[in-house]
Amino acid sequence: MIESVARTKSYCAVEWKEGHLRYLDQRKLPREERYVEATTESDVAEAIRSLAIRGAPLIGIAAAYGIVLAVQRLPEDADPAMLRVRVERALTLLGSTRPTAANLFWALDRMRKVFDRVGTGNIETLRSRLLDEAMRIHREDEEQCRRIGEFGTQLLPLAATVLTHCNTGGLATGGIGTAQGILATAWRSHKLKHVYVDETRPLFQGARLTAWELSKLHIPFTLITDSTAPFLMQRGIITAIIVGADRIARNGDTANKIGTYGLAVLAHHHGIPFYVAAPRSTIDPAVPDGEAIPIEQRSADEVTRPFGLQLAPDGVDVYSPAFDITPHGLISAIITEAGVVKPPYEFLEHSRGA
Ligand code: MRU
């Protein structure tokens, strides 16, 4: 049940509660743990767009609840045509929030299938089936994280020192996390010695969120600037690199937070294993390779004035892709809830979950 998601963590990134979506506003972390209630699909879309809710699997879960909210306030005798328009609009709105996260489209597709199956005849039945499906997506992700954690831990040697990038923990998923789920599991299994956390510019998901989560889990870590990572590798300090993914193409090319590709190139140069951890819902069977993955562009302000602090002159030209593409040839293995996959990655075409 969903309640078990809350029990495994001292915080809850998203939670269905008394007919609304309660979420932890990640923009405020680590200064403030503020929970917010989303009561409409527009609230959810705005939370995802503004990164109050973020991380590919969590975006998918939240969007699914957004579809529930879209039908929730309609009267029992709502006109079927209006109901259909309402759901279609909600699917489009939520699907327009973050273009790279495959889990978003995967989750919306599952919600659409429920709508198509149940139809507009009985709004009460439709509401309850949509909520069941959203909760199922949430629960499944929790279980998938647990399995990714176990599979990934088996790959690590004893006393591993792991470098990670961005945030892939309970704040980014419905469970213990993907890459970070492996760190948590390896720590409990006494296989992990230390974690190095990239601060992850420009929005500092590593410094703000991963550092916050690892502190809560009492996992020993050191925060580094992104540009320190190569030096640590050169010094032989890093045993393995584990990152998450926002979208994985059929051939294994992977979109993840900007900076991931550089880490993969460096890992290759230094002979360090580079692992990608993600549920199969992140694999997009419609995308043959990394070239075809849409890359979200972020606003100039996030670079020139991060968190309101002016760092660059106003009006300067800024290029700020949110993600980059790591070619499959640089990835030592992809860890999913179904196991560890090593190159070649052609099988990915047939491997997506439900
Ligand atoms: O822009 P964000 O913060 O949503 O980016 C998140 C990432 O890039 C994560 O590494 C990825 O979603 C995997 S989360 C389990």
Side-chain angles (χ1 to χ4, degrees):
M1 298 302 293
I2 288 303
E3 288 73 33
S4 67
V5 174
R7 273 203 303 276
T8 58
K9 306 184 275 201
S10 62
Y11 52 92
C12 205
V14 300
E15 177 186 21
W16 185 257
K17 199 169 183 191
E18 292 158 12
H20 61 260
L21 183 68
R22 182 176 181 262
Y23 66 88
L24 179 55
D25 185 344
Q26 300 190 30
R27 296 167 306 176
K28 308 273 181 228
L29 291 173
R31 298 179 314 277
E32 197 187 333
E33 265 177 67
R34 183 192 289 180
Y35 286 88
V36 179
E37 289 176 7
T39 55
T40 66
E41 66 274 28
S42 308
D43 291 347
V44 177
E46 185 46 35
I48 295 173
R49 204 187 296 280
S50 67
L51 269 59
I53 295 173
R54 47 148 297 285
L58 193 74
I59 291 169
I61 293 164
Y65 286 122
I67 297 300
V68 181
L69 290 171
V71 297
Q72 184 158 264
R73 283 163 300 118
L74 289 178
E76 298 306 312
D77 58 351
D79 171 41
M82 189 183 101
L83 176 55
R84 182 165 294 281
V85 168
R86 182 65 168 259
V87 172
E88 289 297 342
R89 276 202 194 133
L91 287 164
T92 305
L93 174 72
L94 288 156
S96 69
T97 50
R98 303 281 315 266
T100 307
N103 312 61
L104 169 62
F105 305 99
W106 171 86
L108 289 176
D109 195 48
R110 279 182 61 166
M111 298 304 281
R112 176 189 288 283
K113 283 186 179 133
V114 170
F115 178 65
D116 289 345
R117 232 178 7 249
V118 179
T120 53
N122 182 329
I123 191 160
E124 196 44 53
T125 306
L126 179 63
R127 263 191 214 121
S128 110
R129 294 282 161 75
L130 287 173
L131 181 58
D132 285 351
E133 186 70 350
M135 288 187 154
R136 201 171 296 121
I137 289 170
H138 196 169
R139 269 199 312 272
E140 285 172 7
D141 193 66
E142 183 191 17
E143 172 61 13
Q144 285 156 6
C145 287
R146 196 186 62 70
R147 293 174 66 85
I148 288 169
E150 282 172 7
F151 284 124
T153 295
Q154 289 165 24
L155 285 176
L156 293 177
L158 281 175
T161 293
V162 177
L163 174 70
T164 192
H165 191 63
C166 196
N167 172 263
T168 61
L171 290 170
T173 64
I176 58 171
T178 54
Q180 195 174 299
I182 297 172
L183 300 178
T185 309
W187 174 246
R188 276 202 312 275
S189 315
H190 308 287
K191 284 187 95 174
L192 183 71
K193 188 166 120 199
H194 201 79
V195 180
Y196 282 92
V197 177
D198 275 356
E199 61 183 2
T200 316
R201 287 191 174 219
L203 291 175
F204 296 90
Q205 287 93 332
R208 294 188 303 109
L209 309 178
T210 302
W212 184 79
E213 290 194 292
L214 293 182
S215 301
K216 281 190 181 285
L217 292 167
H218 305 290
I219 296 175
F221 71 94
T222 303
L223 179 64
I224 56 169
T225 61
D226 296 347
S227 44
T228 301
F231 186 52
L232 287 180
M233 291 188 226
Q234 190 185 47
R235 287 280 155 113
I237 290 168
I238 304 298
T239 315
I241 299 176
I242 315 180
V243 297
D246 287 78
R247 197 184 294 224
I248 301 175
R250 264 193 336 246
N251 70 346
D253 291 355
T254 294
N256 192 50
K257 182 53 59 193
I258 192 76
T260 302
Y261 168 55
L263 293 175
V265 172
L266 285 156
H268 184 73
H269 179 78
H270 292 287
I272 297 167
F274 182 89
Y275 300 125
V276 169
R280 287 177 297 166
S281 48
T282 307
I283 301 168
D284 186 345
V287 165
D289 55 36
E291 282 275 304
I293 298 179
I295 299 291
E296 176 184 353
Q297 296 296 322
R298 302 293 305 178
S299 85
D301 281 4
E302 291 175 350
V303 178
T304 57
R305 293 172 167 266
F307 309 97
L309 176 69
Q310 179 142 23
L311 294 181
D314 284 330
V316 296
D317 189 39
V318 171
Y319 175 56
S320 185
F323 306 100
D324 59 23
I325 304 290
T326 300
H328 60 274
L330 295 174
I331 299 171
S332 314
I334 297 176
I335 303 151
T336 76
E337 73 277 16
V340 174
V341 189
K342 297 198 170 157
Y345 296 114
E346 290 100 23
F347 85 102
L348 290 176
E349 187 159 359
H350 310 289
S351 68
R352 203 176 218 207

